[in-house]
Amino acid sequence: MTAKIKPAKGSPYSRILGVGGYRPTRVVSNDEILKHIDSSDEWIRSRSGIASRHWAGPDETVAEMTLEAAGKAVADAGITPQQVGAVIISTVSHFKQTPAIATEIADRMGAGKAAAFDINAGCAGFGYGLTLAKGMIAEGSAEYVLVVGAERLSDLTDLTDRSTAFLFGDGAGAVIVGPSEEPGIGPSVWGSEGDKADVISQTVPWDAYREGGVEKFPAIRQEGQAVFRWAVYEMAKVAQEALDAAGITPDDLDVFIPHQANMRIIDSMVKTLKLPEHVTVARDVETTGNTSAASIPLAMERLLATGRAKSGDTALVIGFGAGLVYAATVVTLP
């Protein structure tokens, strides 16, 4: 007789219950960046919309920033660390290959024996984490999941590269995902276009640096125009697919939180999607820079903290970046 496997006992629905963020104390202006490249504040602002960014100090490691953001998210969700059943951290700037930094975070935050792992999905990492968390809750392997995007991209920035020196910032953004009586996280539209992987990449692999002959520490490089065209034209389509999958229209949205890569990209997506004027658009990139996987939860936290968005609002979130990878979904704000 063939044994029958019991069905999952998780919640069919989930939502974001709490959010937290951490921005390093040091604020770096464009004037400081201009000490290393031949450019101007006007050029940087016109091309990216960035006026300043936060860079981490020696003690503001990926782990410490993550713990700060995670603690705020747990408190905001009204749960205890012991209730967290899984920890997912998206980062490309934790330089210790193994073990996963998520295991350290789970232990230090008091999450006991929670499942813990890192993901490397670049600027789409937060969206990937949300999708994984939703699946865990649906199948019952965790009741509450911590999803974090945490980066020290200043460690991977070539200050002499005129095209990227001004782009990147540091920080951590976290959310708690838990069960819900109604859908709070819509269907995910995610994917990759690996044939374009070379347009955003690390300058040299770690083994090439180890073997010598490479003068500069590895850094992030990108082909700006190619990335811009892809993000504006292709990601607007993905965002529309996420709206369609959730069964809503732009008129139903309250908030739009795209990856904070570039103000021109954000404004172009708003125009292409024909978002109504009542939709609040996150433009955190102006003072935070591009923090990769941390950018969406950091922007979400700031919108809620400043009152520009409120609990229960319907928001479209979309991340996109190195890979090239992308992830979009509609969520109810905590």
Side-chain angles (χ1 to χ4, degrees), residues 66 88-91 126 147-151 171-174 291 293-295 297:
T66 295
I88 303 171
I89 298 180
S90 178
T91 183
F126 177 72
V147 179
V148 185
E151 299 291 3
T291 56
S295 78

Side-chain angles (χ1 to χ4, degrees), residues 290-305:
N290 180 343
T291 56
S292 190
S295 78
I296 291 175
L298 277 174
M300 182 184 296
E301 187 255 359
R302 177 162 279 174
L303 287 175
L304 289 166

Side-chain angles (χ1 to χ4, degrees), residues 37-107:
I37 58 173
D38 180 17
S39 187
S40 68
D41 177 68
E42 181 183 3
W43 187 89
I44 293 173
R45 289 174 185 256
S46 65
R47 293 301 182 97
S48 68
I50 299 173
S52 62
R53 71 288 292 151
H54 295 257
W55 280 0
D59 297 330
E60 293 171 312
T61 63
V62 171
E64 297 305 324
M65 293 191 294
T66 295
L67 284 167
E68 289 287 340
K72 293 176 183 177
V74 168
D76 193 43
I79 65 171
T80 66
Q82 292 77 16
Q83 290 176 275
V84 175
V87 176
I88 303 171
I89 298 180
S90 178
T91 183
V92 300
S93 51
H94 174 58
F95 293 155
K96 193 172 183 179
Q97 193 72 37
T98 191
I101 194 173
T103 58
E104 175 188 342
I105 299 304
D107 176 62

Side-chain angles (χ1 to χ4, degrees), residues 155-172:
D155 291 335
L156 288 168
T157 298
D158 180 356
L159 290 177
T160 65
D161 182 352
R162 188 174 183 271
S163 64
T164 62
F166 57 89
L167 286 176
F168 303 115
D170 302 336

Side-chain angles (χ1 to χ4, degrees), residues 195-201 221-224 226-227 230 321-324:
D195 60 321
K196 301 179 181 65
D198 60 345
V199 302
I200 306 175
S201 63
R221 57 159 293 280
Q222 70 174 29
E223 296 177 18
V227 173
W230 176 76
L324 294 169

Side-chain angles (χ1 to χ4, degrees), residues 240-260:
Q240 183 61 56
E241 288 179 31
L243 290 174
D244 294 341
I248 67 173
T249 69
D251 288 336
D252 299 316
L253 279 180
D254 299 304
V255 184
F256 178 44
I257 312 178
H259 166 47
Q260 301 294 294

